[in-house]
């Protein structure tokens, strides 16, 4: 392995570095902005962010998702003030410029009386993302007109895992109403790297939930990603997109024990739940084909740069997408949506939402443990002496070979910091380009 030189810790607090990240990393990446089921009909919209730029995601009259900078072309007011809704147009609250669903400047108060005839109204529509693409209902956008397609950006390896374990339901995923939002006192990269490759922290950071399991309380923790048979083995997976874009998956589960345990749990819910779980296992077996492993799920992951996933490790855990919204170098707004498989019976969907809320939520049994760490890390991040000490990323997976060659990506020991190293090497290469 070539020597990895850890970046200085100023990348977690320096304002100038943060601003360059927003312009370069977030200016060129494909970024998640929403899901088809959040805006099912023409005129439906949500608001989101691409880096620190606020955007409107709206379904236009031809039913295509469009993504616009949420900024009036007159004097810069936000033109959409709501998290979600349905509309025929966006009217700015300041002077009343009004934009259509196609982003065009549709109406200007006093246009005929107070503006010259050559007022360039056609050039003053909302600024649109350069490209918008939907992948299994997930809407992604980028400010960059060049660069890889979304398929190449994700890469064939990651797409295989997503299509086998995330988007495998024949009816697709649907978002549950609402979302969790909470402020994390930490830099966005800490959250992305944690979800994309850090199984090392689980036993220590989340010791309380592990202890509850050992104390015989596992049935009270409706957290069946803990379900495992004696034959279960965990791995991590590194998947590279175009130009080494790093994506990471944690807790790839191989072995038949999880399927058996899921069926027993389904039996405590309803006969429909048992039938649904059986169909799900059968579908997965077909998708896996003759791959040389008993892979059944992965639990957590990160798609570069700031979209993480959680809850894919078990049938009864709501499928969760978490977006780490940068709010300056030392603060991140966590946005978290719960999805369920459309084909699941209602009682299973209810269980999924419950399990998620109990674990990965602002007041759950798992998420607050992580946030406490990030708070403490930032307390000593750039004090006089601590600010000069680099972090360490030397753990594990020094060989290049995949442990299960028949599976896509590089399958490695569950506990490793190989993904972290790829994450910062890629980060450095993008930031480096911007310095030239
Ligand atoms: S700022 Fe929007 S109309 Fe003036
Ligand atoms: Fe954690």
């Amino acid at each position: 392995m070539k020597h990895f030189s850890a970046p200085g810790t100023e990348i977690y607090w320096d304002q100038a570095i943060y601003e360059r990240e927003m312009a370069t990393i977030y200016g060129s990446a494909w970024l998640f902005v929403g899901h088809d089921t959040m805006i099912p009909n023409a005129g439906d919209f949500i608001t989101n962010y691409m880096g620190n730029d606020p955007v409107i995601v709206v379904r236009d009259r031809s039913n295509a998702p469009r993504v616009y900078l949420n900024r009036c072309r007159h004097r810069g007011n936000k033109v959409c003030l709501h998290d979600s809704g349905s509309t025929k147009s966006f009217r700015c609250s300041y002077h009343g410029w009004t934009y259509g669903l196609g982003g065009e400047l549709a109406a200007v108060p006093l246009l005929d009386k107070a503006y010259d005839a050559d007022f360039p109204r056609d050039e003053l529509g909302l600024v649109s993302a350069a490209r918008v693409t939907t992948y299994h209902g997930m809407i992604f956008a980028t400010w960059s007109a060049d660069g890889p397609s979304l398929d190449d950006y994700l890469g064939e390896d990651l797409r295989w895992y997503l299509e086998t374990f995330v988007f495998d339901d024949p009816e697709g995923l649907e978002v549950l109403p609402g979302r969790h939002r909470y402020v994390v006192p930490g830099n966005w990269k800490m959250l992305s790297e944690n979800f994309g490759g850090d199984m090392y922290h689980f036993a220590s950071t989340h010791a309380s939930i592990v202890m509850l399991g050992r104390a015989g309380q596992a049935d009270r923790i409706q957290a069946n990603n803990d379900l495992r048979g004696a034959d279960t083995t965990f791995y991590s997976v590194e998947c590279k997109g175009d130009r080494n874009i790093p994506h990471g998956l944690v807790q790839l589960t191989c072995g038949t024990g999880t399927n058996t345990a899921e069926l027993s749990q389904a039996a405590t819910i309803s006969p429909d739940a048992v039938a649904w779980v059986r169909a799900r296992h059968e579908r997965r077996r077909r998708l896996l084909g003759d791959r040389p492993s008993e892979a059944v799920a992965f639990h957590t992951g990160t798609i570069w740069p700031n979209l993480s996933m959680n809850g894919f490790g078990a049938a009864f855990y709501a499928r969760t997408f978490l977006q780490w919204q940068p709010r300056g170098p030392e603060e991140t707004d966590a946005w978290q949506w719960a999805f369920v498989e459309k084909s699941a019976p209602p009682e299973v969907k209810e269980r999924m939402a419950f399990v998620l809320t109990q674990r990965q939520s602002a007041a759950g049994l798992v998420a607050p443990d992580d946030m406490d760490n990030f708070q403490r890390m930032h307390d000593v991040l750039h004090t006089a002496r601590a600010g000069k000490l680099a972090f360490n990323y030397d753990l594990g997976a020094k060989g290049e070979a995949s442990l299960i060659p028949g599976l896509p990506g590089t399958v490695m020991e569950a506990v490793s910091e190989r993904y972290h190293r790829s994450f910062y090497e890629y980060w450095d290469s993008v930031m480096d380009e911007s310095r030239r």
Side-chain angles (χ1 to χ4, degrees):
M1 184 189 79
K2 72 178 188 305
H3 181 67
F4 176 74
S5 152
T9 44
E10 67 275 11
I11 69 166
Y12 304 111
W13 56 261
D14 185 86
Q15 183 69 27
I17 292 175
Y18 169 80
E19 282 167 18
R20 216 163 69 244
E21 284 178 338
M22 294 304 106
T24 60
I25 289 174
Y26 286 84
S28 61
W30 279 102
L31 300 166
F32 172 75
V33 290
H35 189 266
D36 271 345
T37 59
M38 297 173 187
I39 49 168
N41 304 306
D44 291 352
F45 69 85
I46 55 168
T47 48
N48 198 335
Y49 285 84
M50 291 171 68
N52 57 359
D53 281 311
V55 294
I56 305 167
V57 184
V58 62
R59 196 166 292 285
D60 71 13
R61 291 188 199 290
S62 69
N63 272 327
R66 307 280 291 254
V67 178
Y68 305 116
L69 190 63
N70 189 2
R71 180 186 181 280
C72 180
R73 297 297 302 279
H74 180 226
R75 208 91 92 240
N77 188 21
K78 276 187 176 176
V79 296
C80 181
L81 309 178
H82 304 280
D83 291 341
S84 63
S86 192
T87 189
K88 291 189 169 61
S89 59
F90 297 99
R91 184 174 183 275
C92 178
S93 62
Y94 197 172
H95 310 91
W97 284 25
T98 301
Y99 302 86
L101 299 184
E104 73 282 3
L105 180 55
V108 175
L110 304 179
L111 179 65
D112 296 334
K113 286 192 185 142
Y115 283 94
D116 286 344
D118 61 355
F119 172 71
R121 177 170 149 183
D122 293 349
E123 294 163 25
L124 291 171
L126 294 173
V127 171
S128 178
R131 290 178 289 163
V132 179
T133 301
T134 301
Y135 173 71
H136 292 279
M138 309 280 286
I139 307 167
F140 287 83
T142 174
W143 297 119
S144 169
D146 314 314
S149 65
L150 179 65
D151 273 2
D152 291 343
Y153 178 94
L154 299 173
E156 208 176 315
D157 293 343
L158 178 68
R159 282 188 282 119
W160 183 84
Y161 285 99
L162 296 177
E163 282 156 27
T164 305
F165 299 123
V166 180
F167 302 119
D168 56 309
D169 189 83
E171 297 175 37
L173 294 178
E174 66 180 317
V175 71
L176 295 179
R179 71 186 154 188
H180 282 206
R181 287 178 72 165
Y182 47 94
V183 175
V184 183
N187 182 275
W188 66 271
K189 294 185 288 300
M190 290 178 176
L191 293 133
S192 288
E193 65 156 65
N194 177 283
F195 273 73
D198 202 318
M199 193 155 163
Y200 192 30
H201 80 289
F202 198 90
S204 171
T205 291
H206 304 299
S208 58
I209 198 168
V210 174
M211 281 159 63
L212 276 174
R214 283 202 196 116
Q217 301 296 309
D219 57 334
R220 292 207 193 162
I221 311 166
Q222 302 279 352
N224 67 334
N225 71 312
D226 292 335
L227 298 174
R228 62 193 68 167
D231 67 335
T232 303
T233 316
F234 295 123
Y235 299 91
S236 292
V237 188
E238 182 182 70
C239 296
K240 296 273 183 83
D242 184 74
R243 301 176 209 178
N244 286 329
I245 296 167
H247 312 296
L249 305 176
V250 181
Q251 207 175 320
L252 175 74
T253 308
C254 293
T256 53
T258 301
N259 284 0
T260 312
E262 279 182 356
L263 279 169
S264 326
Q265 191 167 118
T268 68
I269 300 176
S270 72
D272 281 353
V274 174
W276 180 75
V277 166
R278 274 193 206 291
R280 200 168 179 273
H281 291 167
E282 191 45 47
R283 191 169 65 238
R284 191 136 304 158
R285 269 190 283 274
R286 278 201 308 276
L287 284 168
L288 282 167
D290 52 9
R291 299 267 177 192
S293 103
E294 292 277 359
V296 291
F298 72 86
H299 185 54
T300 299
T302 293
I303 298 173
W304 173 265
N306 69 331
L307 180 66
S308 290
M309 304 171 272
N310 184 247
F312 296 96
F316 303 114
Y317 198 129
R319 282 82 186 86
T320 312
F321 287 94
L322 304 103
Q323 194 165 24
W324 313 119
Q325 311 276 22
R327 291 287 178 273
E330 296 199 66
E331 194 167 280
T332 303
D333 208 359
W335 288 20
Q336 176 176 330
W337 294 271
F339 290 80
V340 292
E341 286 140 297
K342 275 189 196 163
S343 73
E347 62 274 21
V348 170
K349 291 178 180 171
E350 203 172 306
R351 175 67 63 93
M352 287 173 164
F354 176 76
V355 171
L356 169 68
T357 308
Q358 195 186 44
R359 299 219 22 190
Q360 187 63 43
S361 63
L365 287 166
V366 176
D369 301 336
D370 297 306
M371 305 316 146
D372 279 353
N373 285 338
F374 298 133
Q375 166 84 71
R376 285 186 290 263
M377 288 161 79
H378 272 263
D379 282 350
V380 286
L381 196 58
H382 57 285
T383 55
R385 276 161 193 75
K388 296 191 169 46
L389 296 172
F391 292 168
N392 182 276
Y393 294 97
D394 286 345
L395 173 71
K398 295 195 190 301
E400 294 301 310
S402 182
L403 296 179
I404 309 180
L407 287 180
T410 304
V411 180
M412 53 200 168
E413 304 93 326
V415 171
S416 168
E417 284 167 355
R418 176 181 169 140
Y419 164 77
H420 300 67
R421 294 189 288 272
S422 299
F423 184 99
Y424 288 108
E425 278 168 359
Y426 183 71
W427 179 91
D428 198 45
S429 73
V430 179
M431 294 293 274
D432 202 35
E433 271 173 38
S434 74
R435 277 183 221 116
R436 283 183 211 138

